[in-house]
């Protein structure tokens, strides 16, 4: 990795550019910077989620995800560098299978709501999708490995499942969309 920051306010970005980990400078509106920023924002939202009371296994998982997102950000900050490993995607697949197995089958769409932990998990889900879109956009213009894209895709799915898990803490449930189909089923 590149050098560690010793001074935060360098003023080198005052011209609208920022430095990458390989010491090149790019515009702050570069696709790579957008992707790095979205991953950073996602990690910050996960930090906020970790302020909530959560099951121990979910907390441990989310802390590991924060470290993996730092790996992803490091990879994005240095063109051609590989830091996020495929086993990180496999770990998300295993967590998805584990947590989803505890949940009832969905009968209807759910709203991004419920208790605060679940609502914050939904925010993480949507920011993960935005980060994924940013990585896809960057990959359309520069060569990127598939692991970062796969990780963000899987992470968004996991955050949806965790939101459902968190809504069930203390006897809660999902908040269902009141669709016409559901209204009809309730009327019958």
């Amino acid at each position: 990795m590149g050098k560690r920051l010793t001074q935060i306010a360098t003023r080198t970005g005052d011209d609208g550019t920022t430095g990458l980990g390989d010491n090149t400078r790019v515009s702050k509106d570069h696709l790579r910077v957008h992707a790095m920023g979205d991953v950073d924002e996602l990690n910050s939202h996960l930090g906020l989620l970790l302020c909530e009371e959560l099951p121990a296994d979910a907390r441990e998982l989310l802390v590991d995800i924060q470290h993996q997102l730092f790996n992803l950000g490091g990879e994005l900050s240095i063109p051609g560098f590989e830091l996020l490993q495929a086993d990180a995607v496999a770990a998300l697949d295993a967590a998805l299978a584990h947590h989803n197995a505890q949940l009832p089958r969905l009968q209807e769409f759910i709203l991004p709501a419920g208790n605060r932990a679940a609502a914050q998990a939904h925010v993480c889900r949507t920011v993960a999708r935005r980060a994924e879109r940013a990585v896809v956009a960057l990959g359309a213009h520069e060569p990127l490995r598939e692991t970062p894209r796969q990780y963000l895709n899987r992470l968004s799915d996991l955050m949806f499942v965790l939101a459902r898990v968190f809504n069930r803490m203390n006897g809660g449930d999902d908040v269902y969309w009141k669709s016409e189909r559901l209204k009809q089923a309730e009327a019958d």
Side-chain angles (χ1 to χ4, degrees):
M1 293 280 305
K3 60 185 171 206
R4 301 285 187 241
L5 293 177
T6 57
Q7 183 180 347
I8 300 303
T10 63
R11 296 177 178 76
T12 57
D14 288 351
D15 65 353
T17 65
T18 192
L20 297 179
D22 64 357
N23 294 320
T24 61
R25 294 201 67 79
V26 296
S27 172
K28 288 185 179 184
D29 72 350
H30 190 282
L31 290 173
R32 185 171 294 277
V33 177
H34 279 285
M36 290 167 26
D38 288 343
V39 168
D40 185 36
E41 182 181 349
L42 172 58
N43 211 340
S44 296
H45 278 292
L46 284 168
L48 186 59
L49 177 56
L50 283 164
C51 292
E52 298 296 325
E53 191 172 315
L54 302 171
D57 64 335
R59 177 172 300 285
E60 185 178 321
L61 174 63
L62 292 173
V63 168
D64 181 64
I65 289 168
Q66 282 198 300
H67 287 275
Q68 295 300 338
L69 288 174
F70 249 72
N71 289 339
L72 174 53
E75 184 167 326
L76 290 172
S77 75
I78 304 173
F81 191 64
E82 296 182 13
L83 194 54
L84 183 69
Q85 301 301 310
D87 63 348
V89 177
L92 292 184
D93 281 331
L96 262 166
H98 168 73
H99 289 287
N100 202 39
Q102 306 170 33
L103 297 170
R105 207 175 144 100
L106 277 174
Q107 301 299 317
E108 188 57 81
F109 289 106
I110 62 171
L111 297 178
N115 64 40
R116 197 161 61 184
Q120 183 62 31
H122 279 294
V123 171
C124 293
R125 171 185 60 81
T126 62
V127 176
R129 284 289 182 218
R130 180 167 18 102
E132 179 187 10
R133 290 190 301 272
V135 167
V136 168
L138 176 61
H141 294 278
E142 297 182 23
L144 284 182
R145 296 181 321 123
E146 62 185 17
T147 305
R149 185 185 67 249
Q150 291 170 343
Y151 189 83
L152 291 167
N153 182 42
R154 215 70 94 251
L155 180 54
S156 178
D157 293 340
L158 177 62
M159 295 315 300
F160 177 82
V161 168
L162 287 177
R164 295 190 69 211
V165 169
F166 299 158
N167 264 336
R168 282 164 177 73
M169 294 185 310
N170 305 319
D173 197 1
D174 294 315
V175 179
Y176 293 94
W177 171 47
K178 293 187 189 273
S179 68
E180 292 302 314
R181 185 176 75 92
L182 188 59
K183 285 181 196 174
Q184 184 61 40
E186 289 173 355
D188 291 342

